């Protein structure tokens, strides 16, 4: 089944809705962003979560002290790196690592082989200096040219209206949903969460039936 991550969470009601509808992972942005939260806020937002829900710290070029604080907090299962981090920084961490590539053109994927030490890749949209949260998709066909050797997460402008096509074309291990589920930055819409999860599960069922015929 395709994993589902909701990112940019800032409100407990959105966390609860995500869990209720069967999301697999919750993303919390600790870097500069309209959706930025502190470690203290994440502690409140994740208190009492059921088992088997992954929690992801999203960072951009973090200092080593910040990484130590994230690990020591005990709040996260994964760290998602969204900047130009030295590949060595992602090796040997206690938490699972996700390396993001923000894509505008094929050239944005040229460094992918330098990050073989990470656990997962994530492919997002780059528009200008924006590294994510743009609400726009990128050219998914680019991923067919590189054939990622790692399990990968697809992000960038995904919502109920296009996740079916995204899964059909890219066959990601997971998808990352953010701005297309929002009323405004950081405020998710409960019904859009529900609908997006439903569309993903319908896509999984269709693929399963197709592969067993």
């Amino acid at each position: 089944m395709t994993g589902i991550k909701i990112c940019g969470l800032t409100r407990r009601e959105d966390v609860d809705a995500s869990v209720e509808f069967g999301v697999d992972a919750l993303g919390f942005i600790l870097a500069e962003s309209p959706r930025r939260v502190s470690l203290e806020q994440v502690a409140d937002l994740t208190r009492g979560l059921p088992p088997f829900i992954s929690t992801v710290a999203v960072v951009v070029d973090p200092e080593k002290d910040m990484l130590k604080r994230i690990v020591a907090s005990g709040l996260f299962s994964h760290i998602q790196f969204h900047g130009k981090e030295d590949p060595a920084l992602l090796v040997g961490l206690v938490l699972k690592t996700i390396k993001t590539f923000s894509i505008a053109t094929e050239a944005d994927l040229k460094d992918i082989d330098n990050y073989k030490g990470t656990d997962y890749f994530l492919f997002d949209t780059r528009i200008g200096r924006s590294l994510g949260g743009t609400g726009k998709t990128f050219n998914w066909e680019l991923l067919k040219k590189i054939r990622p050797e790692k399990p990968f997460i697809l992000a960038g402008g995904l919502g109920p209206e296009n996740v079916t096509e995204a899964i059909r074309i890219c066959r990601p291990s997971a998808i990352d949903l953010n701005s297309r589920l929002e009323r405004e930055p950081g405020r998710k819409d409960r019904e859009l969460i529900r609908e997006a999860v439903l569309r993903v599960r319908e896509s999984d069922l269709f693929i399963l039936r197709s592969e067993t015929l």
Side-chain angles (χ1 to χ4, degrees):
M1 289 201 346
T2 306
I4 303 173
K5 171 175 171 272
I6 305 268
C7 199
L9 292 161
T10 66
R11 305 190 305 164
R12 182 68 202 213
E13 55 261 49
D14 297 335
V15 169
D16 291 342
S18 299
V19 172
E20 177 185 345
F21 295 129
V23 164
D24 302 286
L26 309 173
F28 302 95
I29 299 175
L30 303 179
E32 191 63 39
S33 165
R35 305 169 182 89
R36 185 175 190 171
V37 289
S38 66
L39 289 176
E40 292 74 21
Q41 286 174 298
V42 175
D44 288 336
L45 290 167
T46 57
R47 187 170 290 111
L49 282 182
F52 309 120
I53 301 289
S54 297
T55 48
V56 183
V58 181
V59 297
V60 177
D61 298 315
E63 299 289 339
K64 289 186 178 180
D65 181 63
M66 182 59 179
L67 285 181
K68 289 179 180 178
R69 290 178 59 208
I70 289 170
V71 173
S73 73
L75 296 171
F76 303 100
S77 56
H78 298 66
I79 302 180
Q80 177 179 319
F81 293 88
H82 224 293
K84 297 180 180 179
E85 295 86 6
D86 184 328
L89 192 66
L90 281 66
V91 178
L93 291 175
V94 175
L95 306 182
K96 294 286 186 180
T97 58
I98 303 168
K99 176 55 189 161
T100 298
F101 294 87
S102 297
I103 302 170
T105 69
E106 187 175 356
D108 293 314
L109 292 166
K110 62 181 174 58
D111 294 329
I112 192 169
D113 287 340
N114 295 332
Y115 291 91
K116 291 183 177 180
T118 192
D119 294 296
Y120 308 96
F121 293 140
L122 185 148
F123 301 114
D124 202 347
T125 303
R126 178 175 66 81
I127 297 178
R129 294 185 178 181
S130 297
L131 299 177
T134 65
K136 304 292 184 182
T137 60
F138 64 91
N139 180 7
W140 298 328
E141 296 294 331
L142 292 175
L143 299 184
K144 294 182 179 180
K145 297 183 178 183
I146 60 169
R147 299 185 181 277
E149 297 179 4
K150 296 276 185 183
F152 73 89
I153 303 159
L154 185 67
L158 298 179
E161 71 282 1
N162 63 3
V163 289
T164 299
E165 183 182 13
I167 292 170
R168 179 182 63 80
I169 292 174
C170 300
R171 298 295 180 92
S173 298
I175 60 161
D176 188 307
L177 303 163
N178 189 351
S179 58
R180 286 289 185 95
L181 304 185
E182 292 180 333
R183 303 172 190 164
E184 59 186 73
R187 296 174 63 86
K188 302 299 191 264
D189 183 295
R190 176 183 172 86
E191 285 308 305
L192 289 177
I193 295 174
R194 183 193 64 79
E195 188 177 352
V197 172
L198 179 62
R199 294 286 174 266
V200 174
R201 298 307 176 219
E202 287 176 344
S203 297
D204 287 341
L205 184 58
F206 178 81
I207 291 171
L208 179 61
R209 286 173 174 171
S210 299
E211 291 177 345
T212 55
L213 289 178

